[in-house]
C-alpha cells in the first residue's frame, strides 16, 4: 500500500490529468461518454502478459514465481516494470476512494420511479470525475460491454500478497468495477441476480473474527454500497448445513426474501438441473444484471463449466452474464501453500482462459 503523501500525489496526478481542459469528452455531456464497448479492448499491461506467457515461464507446472515482476525490472522490461509500479499506486488510490465512498440508495428503484438515468451519476467515486479511467490515467483499464475493468495481471490476486500474503490473501481490492456503466444497462423491469457456486453464509463475520469475512459477502456488500441490491441470490454449497442453522443463524433478515439456499453441489452436465449456467442463467433476459461467481475448489467440475461459457454453444452467455468471478487453482508458487493438491494446469492456461472469456464478451475476473 502507498502512504498518505504518496496517495495525495497520485490523486493530484489524477485531477491534473483529467481536468476539464484535458478531458476527451466534456463533463457536462454524459451522452458522449464511451460506454459498453461490444469489442473487448485489453489494456497494454494485460496485452503484454498475454503475449509473453511463455517467455515469463508461465507455461510451467513447476509452480513459477510471479511476484518477482514487481521487484526486478529485468523480469519483464523496465517500461513494463514502471507501468506495473504506477498501476499499483493508482489501484491503491482507487481502493481508498472505494472505501471512503458513502452508500447510495437502490439505483433500480429510482430508475423505475423516474426513468431518469442521471441517478447513475451518483455511483461515481468522485462527483467531480465522470470517467472511472481518471483513477487510472493512461492505458491501464480494459474496456468491456459492462464498462471498464482491471487488467489480468500476476499474481492473480491483490499485488499485496507479494509483501504480506496473509494480509491480502482474500483482499478483493484489485477488482475494478464501473458501477455507473453497469447502472446505465438497467431497465425498469431488470432483475439483479447473483449466482454463487461454492457459497458461504458468514454474513455476520467481521474482519479479525475467527471465521473471516468471506469474499462473496464483501462482494454483495460492495454492490449494495454502490446501489445494486440483489433481487435473487442463488447459493450452491455441497457441504451439508442444518436447515435450522441456515435460516435462524446464518441468513440475515435482510436476505430472507432474496436468498435461495441450495445445499447440493453443482454438476458439469451441460443441461443438468444442477448446472446453474443452464437451469438458472438461461431463465433470465439480457435486460437483467447477472453476476456469476465460481469457487468450488474442484477443477474437474469448475473448468468444464468455464469451458461451457467460453464455447457458448447456444450463443447466449455473453449476452446474459455481466460479471464473472472464478478462482482458478493453477500451479503458482505464491499460492501453492494454500491451493496445494487442488492445483491443475498453468498460469498460461488461466490467463488464456480468462482473456478468452473477456474477448467472448464475458467480463471475467480472478477471484480471491
Amino acid at each position: 500500500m502507498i502512504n498518505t503523501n504518496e496517495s495525495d500525489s497520485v490523486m493530484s496526478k489524477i485531477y491534473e490529468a483529467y481536468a476539464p481542459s484535458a478531458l476527451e469528452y466534456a463533463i457536462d455531456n454524459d451522452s458522449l461518454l464511451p460506454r459498453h464497448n461490444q469489442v473487448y479492448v485489453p489494456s497494454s499491461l494485460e496485452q503484454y502478459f498475454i503475449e509473453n506467457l511463455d517467455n515469463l515461464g508461465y507455461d510451467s507446472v513447476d509452480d513459477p514465481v510471479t511476484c518477482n515482476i514487481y521487484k526486478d525490472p529485468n523480469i519483464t522490461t523496465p517500461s513494463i516494470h514502471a507501468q506495473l509500479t504506477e498501476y499499483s499506486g493508482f489501484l491503491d488510490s482507487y481502493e481508498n476512494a472505494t472505501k471512503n465512498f458513502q452508500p447510495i440508495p437502490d439505483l433500480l428503484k429510482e430508475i423505475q420511479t423516474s426513468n431518469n438515468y442521471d441517478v447513475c451519476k451518483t455511483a461515481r467515486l468522485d462527483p467531480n470525475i465522470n470517467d472511472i479511467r481518471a483513477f487510472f490515467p493512461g492505458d491501464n483499464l480494459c474496456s468491456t460491454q459492462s464498462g471498464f475493468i482491471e487488467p489480468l495481471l500476476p499474481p492473480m490476486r491483490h499485488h499485496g500478497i507479494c509483501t504480506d500474503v496473509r494480509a491480502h490473501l482474500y483482499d478483493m481490492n484489485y477488482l475494478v468495477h464501473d458501477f455507473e456503466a453497469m447502472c446505465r444497462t438497467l431497465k425498469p423491469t431488470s432483475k439483479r441476480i447473483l449466482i454463487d457456486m461454492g457459497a458461504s453464509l458468514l454474513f455476520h463475520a467481521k474482519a479479525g473474527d475467527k471465521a473471516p469475512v468471506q469474499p462473496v459477502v464483501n462482494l454483495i456488500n460492495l454492490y449494495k454500497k454502490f446501489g445494486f441490491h440483489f433481487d435473487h441470490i442463488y447459493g450452491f454449497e455441497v457441504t451439508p448445513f442444518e436447515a435450522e442453522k441456515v435460516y435462524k443463524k446464518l441468513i440475515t433478515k435482510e436476505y430472507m426474501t432474496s436468498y435461495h439456499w441450495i445445499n447440493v453441489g453443482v454438476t458439469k452436465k451441460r443441461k443438468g438441473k444442477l448446472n446453474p449456467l443452464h437451469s438458472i442463467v438461461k431463465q433470465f433476459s439480457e435486460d437483467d444484471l447477472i453476476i456469476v461467481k465460481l469457487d468450488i475448489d474442484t477443477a474437474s467440475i469448475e473448468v468444464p463449466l468455464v469451458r461451457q461459457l467460453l464455447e457458448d454453444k447456444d450463443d447466449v452467455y455473453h449476452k446474459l452474464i455481466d460479471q464473472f468471478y472464478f478462482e482458478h487453482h493453477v500451479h503458482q508458487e505464491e499460492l501453492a501453500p494454500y491451493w496445494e493438491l487442488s492445483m491443475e494446469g498453468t498460469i498460461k492456461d488461466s490467463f488464456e482462459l480468462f482473456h478468452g472469456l473477456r474477448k467472448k464478451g464475458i467480463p471475467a475476473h480472478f477471484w480471491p
Side-chain angles (χ1 to χ4, degrees), residues 1-12 88-90 92-93 95-96 159:
M1 300 290 289
I2 55 180
N3 62 38
T4 303
N5 292 334
E6 289 174 326
S7 180
D8 290 343
S9 175
V10 171
M11 288 307 299
S12 296
S88 297
F90 293 149
D92 288 336
S93 292
E95 176 184 342
N96 290 333
H159 62 275

Side-chain angles (χ1 to χ4, degrees), residues 23 60 75 97 105 142 153 158 220 226 236 241 257 259 299 302 308:
L23 277 172
S60 171
I75 300 296
C142 306
L153 299 174
H158 193 285
I220 292 170
F226 281 86
F236 287 81
F241 279 78
T257 60
Y259 203 100
E302 288 175 323
Q308 289 173 30

